[in-house]
Amino acid sequence: MALLPILRFPDPRLKKIAAPVAKVDDSIRKLVSDMAETMYEAPGIGLAATQVNVHKQVVVIDTSEDKNDLRVFINPRLENCTGSQTGEEGCLSVPGIYDKVERAEQVTVHYLDLEGKPRSLTTDGLLAVCIQHELDHLNGTVFVDHLSQLKQTRIKAKLAKQARVTA
């Protein structure tokens, strides 16, 4: 396993749309393993392959308290998004920034598992939010894209200032 570098907003590579995985093989399983290690180390509860500059439709999520419930979604697609909830979100690609985002309350996601078998899951709450957030990444969207232009400008300025201070 290896830690992968996480792209930081506003890196243009975060805007790339991820390609479907043609075959779930050992290279995809290694990517999942590395992504999980990276997510846990960061620490975070979700990570899309786009965030580690791999533009394939792969997502890892673990919303459990003790980090023992890793979920893997390969070629995920959402349907039956119902209801509405607004909650504060953050992102490993936008460190230290949190803001309210409106999402569907309940979602059904269809995906492949690590064996390449089709699966589906209907969920709500934090897991539903996390799935929507990570699938946004696969489509080239970062959570700040859901915010006003003014907030986006402020976030870019704050992150640029952080980068200058740590450089």
Side-chain angles (χ1 to χ4, degrees):
M1 293 197 296
L3 290 178
L4 304 170
I6 298 172
L7 298 178
R8 303 286 189 221
F9 177 81
D11 191 309
R13 294 172 291 181
L14 289 168
K15 293 290 184 191
K16 279 189 171 180
I17 295 177
V21 171
K23 181 180 181 204
V24 179
D25 57 16
D26 286 344
S27 70
I28 294 298
R29 285 186 274 278
K30 177 170 184 353
L31 173 62
V32 164
S33 176
D34 291 346
M35 286 174 60
E37 183 180 2
T38 302
M39 175 187 71
Y40 289 131
E41 180 68 25
I45 61 171
L47 188 67
T50 301
Q51 293 176 270
V52 293
N53 200 28
V54 177
H55 302 283
K56 295 181 181 176
Q57 293 180 8
V58 178
V59 166
V60 296
I61 294 174
D62 188 341
T63 57
S64 68
E65 289 291 322
D66 46 5
K67 303 301 176 203
N68 65 353
D69 188 27
L70 181 67
R71 295 170 183 262
V72 177
F73 301 91
I74 300 169
N75 296 344
R77 61 181 177 78
L78 286 176
E79 69 176 36
N80 298 331
C81 299
T82 59
S84 177
Q85 61 181 325
T86 301
E88 193 168 79
E89 292 187 26
C91 181
L92 296 176
S93 291
V94 193
I97 304 294
Y98 301 90
D99 212 319
K100 291 188 182 332
V101 177
E102 186 175 335
R103 301 277 187 187
E105 186 173 10
Q106 183 178 49
V107 300
T108 298
V109 60
H110 299 281
Y111 61 98
L112 300 177
D113 66 14
L114 277 175
E115 302 307 313
K117 293 190 169 101
R119 304 277 183 208
S120 72
L121 171 70
T122 299
T123 189
D124 58 9
L126 180 58
L127 182 56
V129 168
C130 199
I131 288 169
Q132 292 170 83
H133 177 111
E134 299 308 331
L135 269 60
D136 269 2
H137 279 298
L138 299 182
N139 292 312
T141 300
V142 180
F143 91 95
V144 297
D145 293 331
H146 293 281
L147 306 177
S148 71
Q149 199 61 48
L150 176 63
K151 284 186 177 182
Q152 290 179 40
T153 301
R154 287 181 177 163
I155 289 167
K156 286 177 187 171
K158 184 175 182 178
L159 292 174
K161 183 178 178 182
Q162 285 176 0
R164 284 192 305 273
V165 169
T166 58

